[in-house]
């Protein structure tokens, strides 16, 4: 097998673990539009990474975390509904990203690769980054599992038991920013949210506990990303859309399974 | 009397320029059963949340004695419906209880048959019992209940109050309960606090009925209550 395909396989595995597990919390917390807004800021992150020389991945995490904090600050004002704030951020972030990237990138910059993913261009440095993020996400989730879950289940009870809401919200947003940073190359800025929410949405149908939902979600994600990857090579179609279509097909098939309560 | 488990001194709380709590003080001693009553919007839940540290008061102090172990059931609890979680997993989440003790508490609260059902399928009454069980798993010596009988039918209310009374007596647990049900309040509390942003009146149930401020706040309910309460009282003496 060619090296670039092996790297693509490794990347698929790592990103599936990250997005599949964090995605469950995105679904539980009803944050799919939130993660969409953050992922739309990713082009700006790419630009920042190129300008500062810090590298694309660091640019993505910094911009993602910054935008997440900004969104939360605006939400606290209570003037606008959440969907209005997220809608504004989502599109402004994308537009600014495209313009800034146009200024700082070289002339032949491949927008299509950033918008819809380019899994076959992944290098070994990217793989190292993806697996570092994977280990970080898994360790953070395991260590804070009870607090995160109780806070998601019922905020008041969690706070009465001494769980600090703000700390965990910030932690979670940081994790989302990390997830976005590793997903850009796989499915692209425009389709990241589908990698976060479709696998857990499928897993929800036949899961009886939070933990089993996370495991199923990761498994569904691995299978879909691999199938999408192979069909994209086979039929010469863009990888991101191929993966999302595979996920979409699985989602509809899952509706045919008799669901658990 | 022994030292108070929870002490609140001169608590004030404002929100958007409105006084929610105005110079409220209270003490909860071991073995006490304090019922907090007051009209809607009187600041009852806010006071509870200040005592628990969920919201921060603007002035005044809350002290918990070192040996306090809290059990709390929030008002109008709804579990996030998108998380697939069974009752037993919810009970033991973030708790240190072992299996034997969990079984024992489930037996006491009558939720043994519910342990494996999904949390989101429970009725209002079942959910209240599960919340109470979860609070008890912490082996509390202070139980703080915010309108535990809300959304229950009369039968369910009776059962729940009976259970709370039983827990109060058997587990030697101090109770602070918010309630609307004046009849019940009179029967079980050792102390009644009537709150309308400030504490209007406080005292043992018998004496509070005669308080003028109390009568003004609950004028419509009180006539009926006097009748049943007096009746109950006489009944008791005859035996």
């Amino acid at each position: 097998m060619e090296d670039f395909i092996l790297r693509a396989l490794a990347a698929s595995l790592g990103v599936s673990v990250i997005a599949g597990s964090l995605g469950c919390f995105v679904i539980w917390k009803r944050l799919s539009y939130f993660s969409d807004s953050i992922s739309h800021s990713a082009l700006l992150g790419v630009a920042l990474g190129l300008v500062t020389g810090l590298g694309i991945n660091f640019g993505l995490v910094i911009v993602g975390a910054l935008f997440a904090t900004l969104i939360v600050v605006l939400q606290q004002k209570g003037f606008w509904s959440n969907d209005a704030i997220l809608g504004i951020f989502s599109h402004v972030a994308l537009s600014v990203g495209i313009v800034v990237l146009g200024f700082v990138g070289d002339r032949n910059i491949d927008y299509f690769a950033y918008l819809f993913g380019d899994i076959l261009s992944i290098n070994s440095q990217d793989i190292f980054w993806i697996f570092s993020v994977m280990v970080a996400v898994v360790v953070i989730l395991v260590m804070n599992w009870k607090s995160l879950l109780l806070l998601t289940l019922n905020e008041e009870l969690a706070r009465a038991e001494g769980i600090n809401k703000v700390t965990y919200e910030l932690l979670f947003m940081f994790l989302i920013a990390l997830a976005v940073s590793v997903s850009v190359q796989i499915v692209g800025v425009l389709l990241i949210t589908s990698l976060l929410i479709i696998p857990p949405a499928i897993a929800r149908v036949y899961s009886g506990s939070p933990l089993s939902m996370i495991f199923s979600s990761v498994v569904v994600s691995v299978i879909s990303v691999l199938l999408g990857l192979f069909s994209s090579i086979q039929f010469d179609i863009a990888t991101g859309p191929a993966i999302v279509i595979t996920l979409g097909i699985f989602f509809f098939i899952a509706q045919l399974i008799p669901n658990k309560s | 009397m022994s030292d108070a488990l929870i002490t609140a001194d001169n608590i004030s709380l404002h929100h958007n320029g409105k006084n929610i709590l105005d110079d409220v003080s209270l003490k909860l001693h071991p073995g006490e059963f304090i019922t907090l009553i007051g009209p809607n919007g009187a600041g009852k839940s806010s006071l509870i949340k200040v005592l628990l540290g969920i919201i921060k008061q603007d002035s005044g102090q809350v002290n918990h004695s070192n040996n306090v172990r809290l059990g709390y059931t929030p008002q109008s609890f709804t579990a996030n419906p998108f998380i697939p979680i069974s009752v037993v997993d919810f009970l033991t989440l973030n708790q240190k209880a072992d299996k034997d003790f969990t079984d024992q508490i489930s037996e006491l609260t009558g939720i043994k048959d519910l342990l494996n059902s999904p949390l989101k399928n429970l009725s209002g009454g079942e959910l209240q019992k599960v919340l109470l069980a979860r609070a008890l798993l912490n082996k509390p010596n202070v139980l703080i209940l915010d309108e535990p009988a809300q959304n229950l039918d009369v039968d369910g209310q009776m059962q729940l109050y009976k259970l709370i009374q039983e827990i109060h007596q058997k587990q030697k647990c101090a109770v602070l309960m918010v309630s609307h049900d004046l009849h019940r309040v009179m029967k079980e509390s050792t102390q009644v606090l009537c709150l309308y942003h400030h504490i209007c009146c406080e005292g043992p149930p018998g004496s509070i009925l005669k308080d003028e401020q109390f009568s003004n706040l609950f004028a419509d309910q009180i006539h009926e209550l006097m009748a049943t309460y007096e009746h109950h009282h006489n009944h008791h003496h005859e035996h």
Side-chain angles (χ1 to χ4, degrees):
Chain A
M1 215 182 292
E2 305 265 4
D3 271 1
F4 70 92
I5 294 186
L6 280 179
R7 282 197 297 270
L9 288 177
S12 308
L13 194 73
V15 170
S16 292
V17 172
I18 297 162
S21 54
L22 283 179
C24 288
F25 280 96
V26 172
I27 287 254
W28 295 336
K29 287 170 166 283
R30 280 169 272 200
L31 288 176
S32 50
Y33 208 20
F34 175 84
S35 54
D36 210 35
S37 297
I38 300 302
S39 50
H40 282 179
S41 74
L43 280 187
L44 202 57
V46 171
L48 181 78
L50 291 177
V51 172
T52 58
L54 284 171
I56 289 174
N57 291 325
F58 281 104
L60 286 167
V61 175
I62 290 165
V63 170
L66 196 72
F67 271 42
T69 315
L70 258 172
I71 288 171
V72 173
V73 169
L74 283 177
Q75 284 172 341
Q76 300 303 321
K77 287 194 160 189
F79 287 137
W80 316 280
S81 68
N82 279 351
D83 67 329
I85 295 173
L86 296 176
I88 293 167
F89 257 87
S90 187
H91 293 181
V92 172
L94 186 61
S95 308
V96 174
I98 287 178
V99 170
V100 173
L101 197 58
F103 277 120
V104 301
D106 64 63
R107 269 177 196 286
N108 309 318
I109 197 151
D110 185 4
Y111 284 110
F112 196 81
Y114 287 121
L115 293 177
F116 297 106
D118 188 11
I119 197 172
L120 299 178
S121 73
I122 280 175
N123 60 35
S124 36
Q125 230 179 331
D126 296 325
I127 299 288
F128 178 72
W129 170 250
I130 289 171
F131 278 87
S132 310
V133 170
M134 184 185 89
V135 171
V137 166
V138 170
V139 168
I140 291 174
L141 279 186
V142 169
M143 282 175 57
N144 300 286
W145 170 249
K146 289 173 178 175
S147 304
L148 276 171
L149 188 61
L150 189 60
L151 201 60
T152 311
L153 202 61
N154 186 276
E155 203 181 298
E156 229 168 54
L157 213 52
R159 286 169 67 178
E161 287 176 23
I163 295 169
N164 188 324
K165 187 193 165 201
V166 180
T167 311
Y168 286 99
E169 297 280 277
L170 287 174
L171 179 71
F172 185 73
M173 275 180 257
F174 177 67
L175 291 178
I176 292 292
L178 281 179
V180 167
S181 77
V182 296
S183 308
V184 170
Q185 279 180 295
I186 311 287
V187 286
V189 171
L190 294 179
L191 300 173
I192 289 171
T193 307
S194 53
L195 210 53
L196 280 167
I197 65 171
I198 304 179
I202 296 167
R204 175 69 182 91
V205 179
Y206 44 92
S207 295
S209 78
L211 208 56
S212 75
M213 181 163 156
I214 286 188
F215 281 121
S216 318
S217 168
V218 169
V219 171
V220 166
S221 185
V222 171
I223 295 171
S224 317
V225 173
L226 290 184
L227 269 176
L229 179 63
F230 280 114
S231 49
S232 99
I233 295 169
Q234 193 69 33
F235 305 112
D236 193 24
I237 48 178
T239 319
I243 291 169
V244 176
I245 290 168
T246 314
L247 283 167
I249 292 170
F250 279 143
F251 178 75
F252 287 106
I253 292 175
Q255 307 312 309
L256 305 174
I257 301 171
N259 55 350
K260 228 177 190 173
S261 67
Chain B
M1 197 179 268
S2 48
D3 286 344
L5 292 163
I6 294 182
T7 315
D9 289 317
N10 314 101
I11 302 296
S12 291
L13 179 72
H14 321 282
H15 186 63
N16 293 337
K18 269 194 252 167
N19 257 353
I20 310 284
L21 295 172
D22 183 17
D23 202 23
V24 175
S25 300
L26 70 83
K27 275 183 169 33
L28 182 66
H29 295 96
E32 265 191 319
F33 194 130
I34 298 185
T35 307
L36 191 60
I37 55 173
N40 283 333
K44 302 186 296 292
S45 289
S46 301
L47 178 57
I48 296 278
K49 284 179 191 166
V50 169
L51 293 179
L52 289 165
I54 298 178
I55 46 181
K56 185 97 187 85
Q57 67 273 21
D58 293 308
S59 64
Q61 270 207 320
V62 177
N63 277 310
H64 292 192
S65 79
N66 288 334
N67 59 342
V68 163
R69 291 184 67 85
L70 279 170
Y72 165 62
T73 67
Q75 188 189 19
S76 54
F77 174 89
T78 43
N80 182 326
F82 305 111
I83 304 180
I85 188 167
S86 66
V87 171
V88 65
D89 285 349
F90 168 65
L91 281 179
T92 48
L93 179 64
N94 207 29
Q95 300 270 26
K96 289 190 190 86
D98 58 31
K99 198 181 172 307
D100 281 352
F101 190 58
T102 310
D103 284 348
Q104 199 185 321
I105 293 294
S106 316
E107 189 84 51
L108 175 73
T109 47
I111 56 164
K112 236 180 153 133
D113 297 336
L114 301 172
L115 287 179
N116 291 316
S117 9
L119 187 63
K120 71 177 178 95
N121 290 2
L122 301 191
S123 71
E126 291 167 337
L127 198 56
Q128 280 302 339
K129 284 193 261 180
V130 167
L131 283 175
L132 191 59
R134 190 170 191 283
L136 291 175
L137 281 179
N138 195 29
K139 299 185 177 155
N141 54 5
V142 176
L143 206 49
I144 297 187
L145 311 170
D146 197 350
E147 301 211 21
Q150 215 191 24
N151 307 325
L152 300 192
D153 59 20
V154 181
D155 251 18
Q157 288 187 4
M158 293 291 280
Q159 274 177 28
L160 190 73
Y161 282 130
K162 219 179 125 196
L163 181 62
I164 293 169
Q165 197 178 11
E166 205 179 301
I167 291 161
H168 170 61
Q169 287 162 358
K170 276 191 192 161
Q171 324 256 337
K172 309 227 180 311
C173 195
V175 178
L176 174 62
M177 180 172 83
V178 176
S179 177
H180 273 312
D181 186 345
L182 290 186
H183 180 54
R184 280 282 134 190
V185 168
M186 296 308 147
K187 214 173 149 197
E188 277 143 27
S189 326
T190 56
Q191 189 86 359
V192 177
L193 275 183
C194 178
L195 185 77
Y196 188 69
H197 304 305
H198 61 283
I199 291 181
C200 303
C201 52
E202 58 185 310
S207 74
I208 205 156
L209 273 178
K210 301 182 183 97
D211 193 288
E212 201 180 317
Q213 295 207 46
F214 179 77
S215 328
N216 290 341
L217 270 176
F218 292 98
D220 47 341
Q221 287 176 59
I222 225 149
H223 183 71
E224 189 192 350
L225 178 73
M226 282 301 258
T228 44
Y229 183 63
E230 295 290 310
H231 171 78
H232 183 82
H233 218 76
N234 291 339
H235 187 73
H236 197 77
H237 278 286
E238 279 161 20
H239 289 272

